[in-house]
Structure formats: C-alpha cells, structure tokens
Amino acid sequence: MKLGIVGLPNVGKSTLFNSLTKAGAESANYPFCTINPNVGIVAVPDERLVKLTEMYHSAKTTPAVIEFVDIAGLVKGASKGEGLGNQFLANIREVDAIVHVVRCFDDANVVHVDGSVDPLRDIETINLELIFSDLEVLERRIAKTARGARNDKQLAKELALQNKIKEHLEAGKLAKTFETTDEDELAWLQEYNLLTYKPVIFAANVSEADLADDAAENEYVKAVKAYAAESDCEVFVVCAEIEAEISELEEEERKEFLEGMGLSESGLEKLIRASYSLLGLISYLTAGETETRAWTITKGTRAPQAAGKIHSDFERGFIRAEIVSYDDLVELGSMNAVKEKGLLRSEGKEYVVQDGDVILFKFNV
C-alpha cells in the first residue's frame, strides 16, 4: 500500500511524516522545507505475527508494509508552478490513497500560509490544486484521443467521457464524484489515475490538549469530520508533535506513554486502520519455521488470487488451501490440536479469503 501525504505548508505534514516513518525528513517553521519527495517504508503493526512467530519459532517475521510519500507543502497556484509547483503533484499519481493533513490547532508561533486557521478553506485550496492538475492531464489525453476518434467508435466514446469529466472538474467537482455505471467508462476513469479520483484520509492535526478526548470539543475537527462524512472520506485525529515524541520511544515505553495520555492507539495505528477501511484491505497470514508473514489483499479476494500474492505459480497451479482461523489456532495452541478438533478446513477455488486466515496453499505447476 502506498500513501501520499499532502497539505498546505506548516500544517504539521512533515512532522507527522517523520514520526510515522522515522525517516528524518527536515521539518521547520517555514514553507517548502521538503524540497524533494521523501519516501518512507513502515511496517504494519500486527500482534498476530508476534504470536505466530513464537508458536512456530520462525526464523524470520515479515509484516505487511506501507510506503509513505511526503510531498512539499502545496500553495494556491501550485498546479501552475507557484511555490515548488506541479512537479510534486506528479509524485502522488501512483499512490493508492491520499493522506491530507489539515491544521486543527491555533498557535501564534506557527504561521499559517493564509494568515488564519480554517481547515475547510485549506481543504478547498488543496482540492482546487488537485483539480487543476487533473485538468492539465485530461486536456493532454483529450488531444491525443481526438486524433483517432473520427474513425474509431470506441475512441469516440472515450473522447465523450473525457469531455464530460473535464466539464465536471471545471465545475470545481472532484473526479470521484463523477457518476457512471458504464463498465468501459469506469475502466477508463480508473486508468487515467486522476488525483481527485483517489480515496482521501484526513489527518486532523490537533494540539496536545485536544488529543486526549479525541478532540471532541474542537470546532475545527468537527468541521473536518462533517466534510469527510459528506465526501465519503476517512478521518482520524492526531497530534503530530506527540507522534514525534512517541516515535523516539521503545515499544514498552510507547505503550506506557499512550496509556498516560489516555490513548488506546498511536496515530500510525489510527492511520493504518483508516487506510485498510477506506481501501477495503485485509491481511491473511502464513506461518512456519522459515517465516511468518502477513499478506495484504482486498476484501472479496478468492483463494487462488490470494495465493498469487506469494507467487504467480501458486495461482496458476492452485489445487486447494488448508485454512484455520488465527483465533482458533492461538486458542488451541498448535496445528495438531486444530486438526484434532476438526477446525482445519480444505477450501477450493471459490473460497473468499477472510482477515486472519492462516493458510497453507497446495499447488502443482
């Protein structure tokens, strides 16, 4: 999973990126301190892997990972080259979802690029820049499609779609709000990789004082949550400064720190939960002496396609999958006990893999 982090300058974007990835991107109280897109790889915390590793005495443990891309603070006119310009928007075209960091705290010592704190205005500013960038991409596609559309009905159909999307964007609407049930049109829309078609998770960055009660009384956060609900987006509350402190602690210290703050999970865990929910992702597990590993798939994936995540041969030569739920395996303590209880299942090609399935694939190529 690849997530692009965007936001206006000085909203806590790079501070949050640093704390999530410990990649050490420079952060400072001035715009454009992130001159190059910073990339960090983060392991997805999963207690199930720890227990399975202990059970199987695995030599290696491999968690699922998320790749974060931190983009320089965007400003009005970024799509036209203002600030550091459109070059950074290109860096997030390949991400699965956009994490939009929104400032939801007042601090006279941290300047706001627009002079005041207003999360909905900030969201609109970023959205407009993403729309302008998408229009630029779309106009190039229209010019290319138009050349062949005169003698090709399918290209003519696609050209009509491109023009409809262009009108939609020019009206200030995001591509993901464009409605169509036509399968061809849906396929093309996905292929265009438009920034405003991507799922969005809002990170409402609050002060330490607002964090403990999940910012229940923070009017800025209320506004962001209301907007997210209307826009089919996820939102989580985070304090980038606190996350920076947490990132420096060892695992046990981190748990104590969170408990002392009255928090049940870190910002990273909140973000991962929001990401998996938004993108419809789950993890199945494989375990053995050599390796215990988590594999990320989309909900609804059938067994052969899940096997293909490990290797294409597993999918091509799929015979069956031997499956036990993680909860049953841990409760009974061993695979032998699972078999004695009759809880090890043999599933075929139509089986839809569930979150927490521990699987051994049988295949023949």
Short mmCIF file of all heavy atoms in Angstrom, two decimals, residues 255-309:
data_model
loop_
_atom_site.label_atom_id
_atom_site.label_comp_id
_atom_site.label_asym_id
_atom_site.label_seq_id
_atom_site.Cartn_x
_atom_site.Cartn_y
_atom_site.Cartn_z
N LYS A 255 3.80 2.17 24.92
CA LYS A 255 2.52 1.76 25.48
C LYS A 255 2.20 2.54 26.75
O LYS A 255 1.07 2.99 26.95
CB LYS A 255 2.53 0.25 25.76
CG LYS A 255 2.48 -0.61 24.50
CD LYS A 255 2.50 -2.09 24.86
CE LYS A 255 2.46 -2.94 23.59
NZ LYS A 255 2.56 -4.39 23.90
N GLU A 256 3.20 2.69 27.61
CA GLU A 256 3.00 3.44 28.86
C GLU A 256 2.69 4.90 28.57
O GLU A 256 1.83 5.50 29.23
CB GLU A 256 4.27 3.34 29.73
CG GLU A 256 4.50 1.96 30.31
CD GLU A 256 5.81 1.88 31.08
OE1 GLU A 256 6.41 2.94 31.36
OE2 GLU A 256 6.24 0.76 31.39
N PHE A 257 3.38 5.48 27.60
CA PHE A 257 3.16 6.87 27.23
C PHE A 257 1.73 7.07 26.74
O PHE A 257 1.04 8.01 27.15
CB PHE A 257 4.16 7.28 26.13
CG PHE A 257 4.11 8.73 25.74
CD1 PHE A 257 4.96 9.66 26.33
CD2 PHE A 257 3.22 9.18 24.77
CE1 PHE A 257 4.91 11.00 25.97
CE2 PHE A 257 3.16 10.51 24.40
CZ PHE A 257 4.01 11.42 25.01
N LEU A 258 1.27 6.18 25.86
CA LEU A 258 -0.09 6.28 25.32
C LEU A 258 -1.13 6.15 26.42
O LEU A 258 -2.10 6.90 26.47
CB LEU A 258 -0.31 5.20 24.25
CG LEU A 258 0.40 5.40 22.92
CD1 LEU A 258 0.30 4.15 22.05
CD2 LEU A 258 -0.18 6.59 22.16
N GLU A 259 -0.90 5.19 27.33
CA GLU A 259 -1.84 5.00 28.44
C GLU A 259 -1.88 6.24 29.31
O GLU A 259 -2.96 6.66 29.76
CB GLU A 259 -1.42 3.78 29.27
CG GLU A 259 -1.72 2.45 28.59
CD GLU A 259 -1.15 1.27 29.34
OE1 GLU A 259 -0.65 1.47 30.48
OE2 GLU A 259 -1.19 0.15 28.80
N GLY A 260 -0.70 6.84 29.55
CA GLY A 260 -0.62 8.06 30.35
C GLY A 260 -1.37 9.22 29.72
O GLY A 260 -1.89 10.10 30.41
N MET A 261 -1.42 9.22 28.38
CA MET A 261 -2.14 10.26 27.64
C MET A 261 -3.64 9.95 27.51
O MET A 261 -4.40 10.75 26.98
CB MET A 261 -1.56 10.40 26.23
CG MET A 261 -0.15 11.01 26.18
SD MET A 261 -0.17 12.77 26.50
CE MET A 261 -1.12 13.37 25.10
N GLY A 262 -4.02 8.75 27.97
CA GLY A 262 -5.42 8.34 27.83
C GLY A 262 -5.76 7.88 26.43
O GLY A 262 -6.91 7.95 26.00
N LEU A 263 -4.74 7.38 25.70
CA LEU A 263 -4.94 6.96 24.30
C LEU A 263 -4.81 5.45 24.19
O LEU A 263 -3.97 4.83 24.86
CB LEU A 263 -3.91 7.63 23.39
CG LEU A 263 -3.88 9.16 23.40
CD1 LEU A 263 -2.69 9.68 22.61
CD2 LEU A 263 -5.18 9.72 22.82
N SER A 264 -5.61 4.85 23.33
CA SER A 264 -5.56 3.40 23.14
C SER A 264 -4.65 3.00 21.99
O SER A 264 -4.22 1.84 21.90
CB SER A 264 -6.97 2.86 22.89
OG SER A 264 -7.54 3.47 21.75
N GLU A 265 -4.35 3.93 21.08
CA GLU A 265 -3.50 3.61 19.93
C GLU A 265 -2.77 4.85 19.44
O GLU A 265 -3.18 5.98 19.70
CB GLU A 265 -4.33 2.99 18.81
CG GLU A 265 -5.47 3.86 18.33
CD GLU A 265 -6.36 3.16 17.31
OE1 GLU A 265 -6.00 2.08 16.81
OE2 GLU A 265 -7.43 3.71 17.00
N SER A 266 -1.68 4.62 18.73
CA SER A 266 -0.89 5.73 18.18
C SER A 266 -1.53 6.26 16.91
O SER A 266 -2.45 5.65 16.35
CB SER A 266 0.53 5.24 17.87
OG SER A 266 0.49 4.33 16.77
N GLY A 267 -1.02 7.39 16.43
CA GLY A 267 -1.50 7.96 15.17
C GLY A 267 -1.26 7.03 14.00
O GLY A 267 -2.09 6.92 13.09
N LEU A 268 -0.12 6.32 14.02
CA LEU A 268 0.18 5.37 12.94
C LEU A 268 -0.87 4.26 12.90
O LEU A 268 -1.36 3.91 11.82
CB LEU A 268 1.57 4.76 13.14
CG LEU A 268 1.97 3.66 12.15
CD1 LEU A 268 1.97 4.19 10.72
CD2 LEU A 268 3.34 3.08 12.50
N GLU A 269 -1.24 3.75 14.07
CA GLU A 269 -2.25 2.69 14.12
C GLU A 269 -3.60 3.21 13.64
O GLU A 269 -4.34 2.50 12.94
CB GLU A 269 -2.33 2.13 15.54
CG GLU A 269 -1.11 1.31 15.92
CD GLU A 269 -0.99 1.05 17.41
OE1 GLU A 269 -1.38 1.93 18.20
OE2 GLU A 269 -0.51 -0.03 17.77
N LYS A 270 -3.95 4.44 14.02
CA LYS A 270 -5.20 5.05 13.54
C LYS A 270 -5.19 5.18 12.02
O LYS A 270 -6.18 4.89 11.35
CB LYS A 270 -5.38 6.45 14.15
CG LYS A 270 -5.76 6.49 15.60
CD LYS A 270 -5.95 7.95 16.02
CE LYS A 270 -6.30 8.10 17.49
NZ LYS A 270 -6.45 9.52 17.85
N LEU A 271 -4.05 5.62 11.48
CA LEU A 271 -3.93 5.82 10.04
C LEU A 271 -4.04 4.50 9.30
O LEU A 271 -4.72 4.39 8.27
CB LEU A 271 -2.62 6.53 9.71
CG LEU A 271 -2.28 6.69 8.22
CD1 LEU A 271 -3.41 7.38 7.46
CD2 LEU A 271 -0.98 7.47 8.05
N ILE A 272 -3.39 3.47 9.82
CA ILE A 272 -3.43 2.15 9.18
C ILE A 272 -4.86 1.62 9.18
O ILE A 272 -5.35 1.12 8.17
CB ILE A 272 -2.47 1.17 9.87
CG1 ILE A 272 -1.01 1.56 9.54
CG2 ILE A 272 -2.74 -0.27 9.44
CD1 ILE A 272 0.02 0.84 10.36
N ARG A 273 -5.55 1.75 10.30
CA ARG A 273 -6.94 1.29 10.40
C ARG A 273 -7.81 2.03 9.39
O ARG A 273 -8.64 1.44 8.69
CB ARG A 273 -7.44 1.49 11.83
CG ARG A 273 -8.80 0.89 12.10
CD ARG A 273 -9.01 0.63 13.59
NE ARG A 273 -8.60 1.74 14.43
CZ ARG A 273 -9.34 2.83 14.64
NH1 ARG A 273 -10.50 2.96 14.03
NH2 ARG A 273 -8.91 3.79 15.44
N ALA A 274 -7.62 3.36 9.31
CA ALA A 274 -8.40 4.16 8.37
C ALA A 274 -8.08 3.77 6.93
O ALA A 274 -8.98 3.69 6.08
CB ALA A 274 -8.11 5.65 8.58
N SER A 275 -6.80 3.50 6.64
CA SER A 275 -6.37 3.14 5.28
C SER A 275 -6.97 1.80 4.86
O SER A 275 -7.50 1.66 3.75
CB SER A 275 -4.84 3.04 5.21
OG SER A 275 -4.25 4.24 5.63
N TYR A 276 -6.88 0.82 5.74
CA TYR A 276 -7.43 -0.50 5.42
C TYR A 276 -8.93 -0.42 5.21
O TYR A 276 -9.48 -1.06 4.31
CB TYR A 276 -7.09 -1.49 6.54
CG TYR A 276 -5.75 -2.19 6.36
CD1 TYR A 276 -4.56 -1.47 6.29
CD2 TYR A 276 -5.67 -3.57 6.24
CE1 TYR A 276 -3.34 -2.09 6.12
CE2 TYR A 276 -4.45 -4.21 6.06
CZ TYR A 276 -3.29 -3.46 6.00
OH TYR A 276 -2.08 -4.10 5.81
N SER A 277 -9.60 0.38 6.05
CA SER A 277 -11.05 0.53 5.93
C SER A 277 -11.42 1.20 4.60
O SER A 277 -12.30 0.73 3.87
CB SER A 277 -11.59 1.36 7.10
OG SER A 277 -12.95 1.69 6.91
N LEU A 278 -10.73 2.30 4.29
CA LEU A 278 -11.04 3.06 3.09
C LEU A 278 -10.78 2.27 1.82
O LEU A 278 -11.55 2.33 0.85
CB LEU A 278 -10.21 4.36 3.08
CG LEU A 278 -10.51 5.37 1.98
CD1 LEU A 278 -11.90 5.97 2.18
CD2 LEU A 278 -9.47 6.48 1.98
N LEU A 279 -9.69 1.51 1.81
CA LEU A 279 -9.29 0.78 0.61
C LEU A 279 -9.84 -0.64 0.57
O LEU A 279 -9.61 -1.38 -0.39
CB LEU A 279 -7.76 0.75 0.50
CG LEU A 279 -7.08 2.12 0.33
CD1 LEU A 279 -5.56 1.98 0.44
CD2 LEU A 279 -7.47 2.76 -0.99
N GLY A 280 -10.56 -1.04 1.63
CA GLY A 280 -11.14 -2.38 1.66
C GLY A 280 -10.10 -3.48 1.71
O GLY A 280 -10.17 -4.46 0.97
N LEU A 281 -9.10 -3.31 2.59
CA LEU A 281 -7.99 -4.27 2.66
C LEU A 281 -8.10 -5.16 3.89
O LEU A 281 -8.63 -4.76 4.92
CB LEU A 281 -6.65 -3.53 2.69
CG LEU A 281 -6.34 -2.61 1.51
CD1 LEU A 281 -5.03 -1.88 1.75
CD2 LEU A 281 -6.27 -3.41 0.22
N ILE A 282 -7.58 -6.37 3.78
CA ILE A 282 -7.44 -7.28 4.91
C ILE A 282 -6.08 -7.96 4.79
O ILE A 282 -5.39 -7.81 3.78
CB ILE A 282 -8.56 -8.36 4.93
CG1 ILE A 282 -8.53 -9.19 3.63
CG2 ILE A 282 -9.93 -7.71 5.14
CD1 ILE A 282 -9.45 -10.40 3.66
N SER A 283 -5.71 -8.73 5.81
CA SER A 283 -4.46 -9.49 5.76
C SER A 283 -4.72 -10.95 6.07
O SER A 283 -5.46 -11.27 7.01
CB SER A 283 -3.45 -8.94 6.77
OG SER A 283 -3.01 -7.64 6.40
N TYR A 284 -4.13 -11.84 5.27
CA TYR A 284 -4.09 -13.25 5.66
C TYR A 284 -2.66 -13.57 6.06
O TYR A 284 -1.72 -12.77 5.79
CB TYR A 284 -4.61 -14.16 4.54
CG TYR A 284 -3.68 -14.40 3.37
CD1 TYR A 284 -2.70 -15.38 3.40
CD2 TYR A 284 -3.82 -13.65 2.19
CE1 TYR A 284 -1.87 -15.60 2.31
CE2 TYR A 284 -3.00 -13.86 1.10
CZ TYR A 284 -2.02 -14.84 1.17
OH TYR A 284 -1.18 -15.06 0.10
N LEU A 285 -2.46 -14.70 6.73
CA LEU A 285 -1.17 -15.00 7.33
C LEU A 285 -0.65 -16.34 6.86
O LEU A 285 -1.43 -17.27 6.60
CB LEU A 285 -1.30 -15.00 8.86
CG LEU A 285 -2.04 -13.80 9.46
CD1 LEU A 285 -2.45 -14.08 10.90
CD2 LEU A 285 -1.18 -12.54 9.39
N THR A 286 0.67 -16.44 6.73
CA THR A 286 1.32 -17.73 6.52
C THR A 286 2.34 -17.90 7.64
O THR A 286 2.93 -16.92 8.10
CB THR A 286 2.03 -17.81 5.15
OG1 THR A 286 2.95 -16.70 5.02
CG2 THR A 286 1.03 -17.75 4.02
N ALA A 287 2.52 -19.13 8.12
CA ALA A 287 3.41 -19.34 9.26
C ALA A 287 4.14 -20.67 9.13
O ALA A 287 3.59 -21.66 8.63
CB ALA A 287 2.61 -19.30 10.56
N GLY A 288 5.39 -20.67 9.57
CA GLY A 288 6.20 -21.87 9.55
C GLY A 288 7.56 -21.59 10.18
O GLY A 288 7.82 -20.46 10.62
N GLU A 289 8.42 -22.57 10.22
CA GLU A 289 9.74 -22.39 10.83
C GLU A 289 10.58 -21.38 10.05
O GLU A 289 11.35 -20.63 10.63
CB GLU A 289 10.49 -23.73 10.89
CG GLU A 289 9.93 -24.68 11.94
CD GLU A 289 10.78 -25.95 12.06
OE1 GLU A 289 11.88 -25.99 11.48
OE2 GLU A 289 10.32 -26.88 12.74
N THR A 290 10.42 -21.36 8.74
CA THR A 290 11.23 -20.45 7.92
C THR A 290 10.78 -19.00 8.07
O THR A 290 11.61 -18.10 8.26
CB THR A 290 11.16 -20.84 6.43
OG1 THR A 290 11.55 -22.21 6.28
CG2 THR A 290 12.07 -19.95 5.59
N GLU A 291 9.46 -18.77 8.00
CA GLU A 291 8.96 -17.40 8.03
C GLU A 291 7.50 -17.35 8.46
O GLU A 291 6.70 -18.21 8.10
CB GLU A 291 9.09 -16.77 6.63
CG GLU A 291 8.63 -15.33 6.53
CD GLU A 291 8.70 -14.77 5.11
OE1 GLU A 291 8.30 -15.50 4.17
OE2 GLU A 291 9.13 -13.62 4.94
N THR A 292 7.17 -16.31 9.22
CA THR A 292 5.77 -15.94 9.48
C THR A 292 5.56 -14.61 8.79
O THR A 292 6.36 -13.68 8.95
CB THR A 292 5.49 -15.83 10.98
OG1 THR A 292 5.48 -17.15 11.55
CG2 THR A 292 4.15 -15.18 11.26
N ARG A 293 4.45 -14.51 8.03
CA ARG A 293 4.29 -13.30 7.20
C ARG A 293 2.82 -12.91 7.04
O ARG A 293 1.93 -13.76 7.04
CB ARG A 293 4.89 -13.57 5.81
CG ARG A 293 4.84 -12.39 4.86
CD ARG A 293 5.77 -12.60 3.70
NE ARG A 293 5.78 -11.47 2.79
CZ ARG A 293 6.68 -11.27 1.84
NH1 ARG A 293 7.67 -12.12 1.68
NH2 ARG A 293 6.61 -10.22 1.04
N ALA A 294 2.59 -11.60 6.92
CA ALA A 294 1.26 -11.06 6.62
C ALA A 294 1.22 -10.65 5.16
O ALA A 294 2.16 -10.04 4.65
CB ALA A 294 0.97 -9.86 7.52
N TRP A 295 0.10 -10.99 4.50
CA TRP A 295 -0.09 -10.65 3.08
C TRP A 295 -1.35 -9.79 2.97
O TRP A 295 -2.42 -10.20 3.40
CB TRP A 295 -0.25 -11.92 2.25
CG TRP A 295 0.90 -12.86 2.38
CD1 TRP A 295 1.07 -13.84 3.31
CD2 TRP A 295 2.07 -12.91 1.54
NE1 TRP A 295 2.25 -14.50 3.12
CE2 TRP A 295 2.89 -13.95 2.04
CE3 TRP A 295 2.49 -12.19 0.42
CZ2 TRP A 295 4.11 -14.28 1.45
CZ3 TRP A 295 3.70 -12.53 -0.16
CH2 TRP A 295 4.49 -13.55 0.36
N THR A 296 -1.22 -8.62 2.37
CA THR A 296 -2.36 -7.71 2.25
C THR A 296 -3.08 -7.93 0.93
O THR A 296 -2.47 -7.95 -0.13
CB THR A 296 -1.88 -6.24 2.31
OG1 THR A 296 -1.18 -6.05 3.55
CG2 THR A 296 -3.05 -5.28 2.26
N ILE A 297 -4.40 -8.11 1.04
CA ILE A 297 -5.25 -8.31 -0.14
C ILE A 297 -6.52 -7.48 0.03
O ILE A 297 -6.81 -6.98 1.11
CB ILE A 297 -5.63 -9.80 -0.34
CG1 ILE A 297 -6.34 -10.34 0.92
CG2 ILE A 297 -4.41 -10.63 -0.69
CD1 ILE A 297 -6.88 -11.75 0.78
N THR A 298 -7.29 -7.34 -1.04
CA THR A 298 -8.57 -6.65 -0.94
C THR A 298 -9.65 -7.63 -0.49
O THR A 298 -9.59 -8.82 -0.79
CB THR A 298 -8.99 -6.03 -2.29
OG1 THR A 298 -8.99 -7.05 -3.29
CG2 THR A 298 -8.02 -4.93 -2.69
N LYS A 299 -10.64 -7.10 0.25
CA LYS A 299 -11.76 -7.93 0.68
C LYS A 299 -12.43 -8.53 -0.56
O LYS A 299 -12.55 -7.86 -1.59
CB LYS A 299 -12.79 -7.08 1.42
CG LYS A 299 -12.38 -6.68 2.82
CD LYS A 299 -13.44 -5.80 3.46
CE LYS A 299 -12.99 -5.30 4.82
NZ LYS A 299 -13.95 -4.34 5.41
N GLY A 300 -12.83 -9.78 -0.45
CA GLY A 300 -13.50 -10.44 -1.57
C GLY A 300 -12.56 -11.22 -2.46
O GLY A 300 -13.00 -11.86 -3.42
N THR A 301 -11.25 -11.22 -2.15
CA THR A 301 -10.28 -11.97 -2.96
C THR A 301 -10.46 -13.46 -2.75
O THR A 301 -10.53 -13.94 -1.61
CB THR A 301 -8.83 -11.55 -2.59
OG1 THR A 301 -8.66 -10.17 -2.84
CG2 THR A 301 -7.81 -12.35 -3.41
N ARG A 302 -10.50 -14.22 -3.84
CA ARG A 302 -10.64 -15.67 -3.74
C ARG A 302 -9.26 -16.31 -3.52
O ARG A 302 -8.22 -15.70 -3.78
CB ARG A 302 -11.31 -16.23 -4.99
CG ARG A 302 -12.72 -15.69 -5.19
CD ARG A 302 -13.45 -16.38 -6.33
NE ARG A 302 -14.71 -15.71 -6.63
CZ ARG A 302 -15.84 -15.89 -5.96
NH1 ARG A 302 -15.88 -16.74 -4.95
NH2 ARG A 302 -16.94 -15.22 -6.29
N ALA A 303 -9.29 -17.55 -3.08
CA ALA A 303 -8.07 -18.25 -2.66
C ALA A 303 -6.96 -18.27 -3.73
O ALA A 303 -5.80 -17.98 -3.42
CB ALA A 303 -8.41 -19.66 -2.20
N PRO A 304 -7.27 -18.61 -5.01
CA PRO A 304 -6.17 -18.65 -5.99
C PRO A 304 -5.48 -17.29 -6.18
O PRO A 304 -4.26 -17.22 -6.32
CB PRO A 304 -6.88 -19.09 -7.29
CG PRO A 304 -8.11 -19.80 -6.84
CD PRO A 304 -8.54 -19.06 -5.60
N GLN A 305 -6.28 -16.22 -6.18
CA GLN A 305 -5.71 -14.88 -6.36
C GLN A 305 -4.90 -14.45 -5.13
O GLN A 305 -3.87 -13.80 -5.24
CB GLN A 305 -6.81 -13.86 -6.66
CG GLN A 305 -7.42 -13.99 -8.07
CD GLN A 305 -8.24 -15.25 -8.25
OE1 GLN A 305 -9.08 -15.57 -7.41
NE2 GLN A 305 -7.98 -15.98 -9.33
N ALA A 306 -5.37 -14.88 -3.95
CA ALA A 306 -4.61 -14.61 -2.73
C ALA A 306 -3.27 -15.34 -2.77
O ALA A 306 -2.23 -14.80 -2.38
CB ALA A 306 -5.42 -15.03 -1.50
N ALA A 307 -3.31 -16.57 -3.27
CA ALA A 307 -2.07 -17.36 -3.42
C ALA A 307 -1.11 -16.68 -4.38
O ALA A 307 0.11 -16.72 -4.20
CB ALA A 307 -2.41 -18.76 -3.90
N GLY A 308 -1.68 -16.03 -5.40
CA GLY A 308 -0.86 -15.34 -6.39
C GLY A 308 -0.06 -14.19 -5.82
O GLY A 308 0.93 -13.74 -6.42
N LYS A 309 -0.47 -13.67 -4.64
CA LYS A 309 0.32 -12.62 -3.97
C LYS A 309 1.68 -13.15 -3.56
O LYS A 309 2.66 -12.41 -3.48
CB LYS A 309 -0.43 -12.10 -2.73
CG LYS A 309 -1.67 -11.29 -3.02
CD LYS A 309 -1.34 -9.91 -3.55
CE LYS A 309 -0.81 -9.01 -2.44
NZ LYS A 309 -0.62 -7.63 -2.91
#
